[in-house]
């Protein structure tokens, strides 16, 4: 129990750090979205407007992630006996959909618009102002990304939290998207060819669709029900096999229920000769041993049968 309480405290501290990371990203994206929108409308730049849509999508997604952090920590109740841990993956899935619809599709629309309008004269002063906006956006997005990566390193190089992974993916994509938009705008300004901005908008859209697909696929797998890592499953089975009272582990099933909640269900055969009281004590001891070693395994179920006597015994 002491181990589980310590694990819960660590999870709470991690959630606070993740919440701060999301809030930093949200603040940066809200300011950037306004600046990009104003700059894009003034310069009539499709690449800059694509990046404005990108930042709006990221801002909405970070609101989703904040909701995920709050709602997933609710305690278990009658209707949800295993808790609300999967809420985090549901809201992350919504964030992925938001990236695809609001960011990717709008960028494709801007690319089509730029190609259909053809080459047109551009205002040098407006485009320079737009490039300056993107330069500030690059600085802000880079700061947010550094913050997210710093937390990633503090966690030992493993971003298990889907909210944290989403922020890293969004910020990384935002940095690349800003660079693409700057390149498209600069080449359009120099050559007078709108195709460069159309290409930049198309590239931004493709990038956002790819990120949305990766994040959405992962959230889908977790919502459907995914097993723990093979290494952890192998270690749990090895520990069960090592118990003197266990004759055979017939099956072992695992499923992640949340950030710090895992279901472990094992069908085991005990050695012959144990009475009912001994079976109950062995069962409780094995459950506690699993929970002590893997604190996230807070739902452990054992289906126990007594192995038949071996031939010759």
């Amino acid at each position: 129990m002491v181990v589980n309480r310590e694990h819960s405290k660590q999870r709470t501290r991690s959630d606070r750090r993740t919440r701060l990371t999301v809030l930093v990203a949200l603040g940066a994206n809200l300011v950037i979205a306004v600046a990009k929108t104003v700059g894009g409308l003034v310069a009539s730049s499709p690449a800059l407007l694509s990046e404005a849509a990108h930042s709006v999508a990221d801002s909405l997604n970070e609101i989703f992630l904040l909701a995920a952090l709050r709602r997933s920590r609710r305690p278990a109740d009658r209707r949800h006996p295993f808790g609300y841990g999967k809420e985090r993956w549901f809201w992350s899935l919504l964030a992925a959909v938001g990236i695809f619809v609001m960011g990717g599709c709008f960028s494709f629309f801007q690319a089509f618009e730029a190609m259909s309008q053809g080459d047109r004269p551009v205002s040098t002063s407006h485009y320079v102002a737009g490039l300056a906006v993107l330069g500030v956006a690059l600085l802000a997005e880079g700061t947010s990304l550094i913050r997210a990566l710093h937390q990633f390193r503090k966690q030992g190089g493993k971003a298990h939290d889907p909210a944290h992974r989403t922020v890293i993916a969004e910020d990384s994509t935002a940095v690349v998207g800003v660079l693409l938009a700057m390149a498209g705008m600069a080449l359009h300004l120099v050559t007078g060819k709108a195709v460069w901005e159309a290409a930049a908008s198309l590239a931004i859209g493709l990038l956002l669709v790819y990120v949305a697909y990766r994040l959405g696929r992962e959230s889908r797998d977790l919502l459907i029900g995914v097993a723990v890592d093979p290494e952890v499953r192998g270690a749990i089975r090895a520990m069960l096999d090592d118990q003197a009272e266990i004759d055979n582990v017939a099956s072992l099933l695992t499923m992640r229920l949340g950030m710090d909640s895992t279901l472990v269900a094992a069908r085991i055969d005990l050695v012959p000769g144990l009475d009912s009281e001994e079976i109950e004590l062995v069962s409780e001891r094995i459950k506690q041993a699993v929970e002590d070693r893997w604190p996230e395994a807070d739902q452990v179920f054992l289906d126990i049968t007594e192995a038949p006597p071996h031939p010759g015994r």
Side-chain angles (χ1 to χ4, degrees):
M1 296 298 293
V2 174
V3 174
N4 288 336
R5 285 198 296 270
E6 182 59 30
H7 179 75
S8 178
K9 290 179 181 178
Q10 291 176 357
R11 182 73 260 158
T12 300
R13 288 194 294 268
S14 178
D15 276 359
R16 287 173 182 166
R17 290 193 294 268
T18 299
R19 186 177 292 107
L20 179 58
T21 296
V22 175
L23 285 171
V24 169
L26 175 61
N29 276 314
L30 286 173
V31 174
I32 293 167
V34 173
K36 287 178 180 176
T37 300
V38 173
L41 291 174
V42 170
S44 298
S45 167
L48 189 48
L49 287 173
S50 294
E51 270 302 294
H54 183 180
S55 294
V56 171
D58 285 352
S59 299
L60 181 61
N61 294 338
E62 270 125 29
I63 294 174
F64 286 158
L65 298 180
L66 289 173
L69 288 169
R70 180 177 60 85
R71 294 178 65 86
S72 65
R73 302 304 299 174
R74 288 184 295 171
D77 55 33
R78 236 176 182 181
R79 291 193 63 193
H80 300 87
F82 293 110
Y84 290 80
K86 289 191 176 185
E87 282 255 22
R88 195 164 297 201
W89 301 325
F90 168 74
W91 290 97
S92 294
L93 179 61
L94 289 185
V97 173
I99 292 173
F100 175 81
V101 175
M102 297 178 59
C105 292
F106 186 80
S107 295
F108 291 147
F109 171 76
Q110 286 298 318
F112 175 78
E113 282 286 293
M115 290 299 295
S116 63
Q117 291 178 5
D119 298 334
R120 54 182 173 75
V122 297
S123 169
T124 301
S125 60
H126 289 167
Y127 262 56
V128 170
L131 288 170
V133 168
L134 287 175
V136 174
L138 183 62
L139 181 62
E141 299 285 11
T143 301
S144 178
L145 177 60
I146 289 171
R147 160 76 196 182
L149 291 175
H150 175 69
Q151 184 182 344
F152 177 76
R153 285 194 296 269
K154 287 184 69 174
Q155 292 175 342
K158 294 182 180 180
H160 295 295
D161 192 333
H164 191 192
R165 281 196 299 272
T166 301
V167 171
I168 291 177
E170 285 180 352
D171 288 344
S172 301
T173 305
V175 169
V176 176
V178 168
L179 293 174
L180 288 171
M182 292 178 76
M185 289 183 67
L187 288 169
H188 186 185
L189 183 60
V190 172
T191 66
K193 301 292 184 181
V195 66
W196 292 110
E197 280 203 79
S201 294
L202 180 61
I204 292 169
L206 290 172
L207 181 64
L208 291 172
V209 167
Y210 172 73
V211 170
Y213 167 74
R214 290 292 301 270
L215 292 173
R217 184 180 65 176
E218 181 181 21
S219 296
R220 179 208 63 185
D221 291 343
L222 290 165
L223 282 171
I224 291 172
V226 67
V228 299
D229 295 338
E231 296 81 4
V232 175
R233 183 185 181 279
I236 294 174
R237 187 179 186 99
M239 195 195 83
L240 294 176
D241 285 332
D242 288 340
Q243 303 303 308
E245 298 87 354
I246 295 180
D247 183 77
N248 176 54
V249 180
S251 66
L252 175 63
L253 302 175
T254 64
M255 184 172 66
R256 293 183 61 190
L257 301 175
M259 286 298 301
D260 53 356
S261 181
T262 297
L263 181 145
V264 177
R267 183 176 294 113
I268 61 177
D269 298 327
L270 296 181
V271 296
L274 298 176
D275 60 34
S276 59
E277 185 176 348
E278 289 176 316
I279 290 174
E280 183 177 352
L281 290 174
V282 167
S283 174
E284 291 302 316
R285 181 180 61 77
I286 293 174
K287 287 182 182 180
Q288 192 60 54
V290 172
E291 293 176 5
D292 287 345
R293 184 167 175 185
W294 295 279
E296 67 275 13
D298 57 340
Q299 302 290 341
V300 181
F301 299 92
L302 300 179
D303 182 9
I304 296 176
T305 59
E306 187 177 357
H310 291 289
R313 286 189 179 177

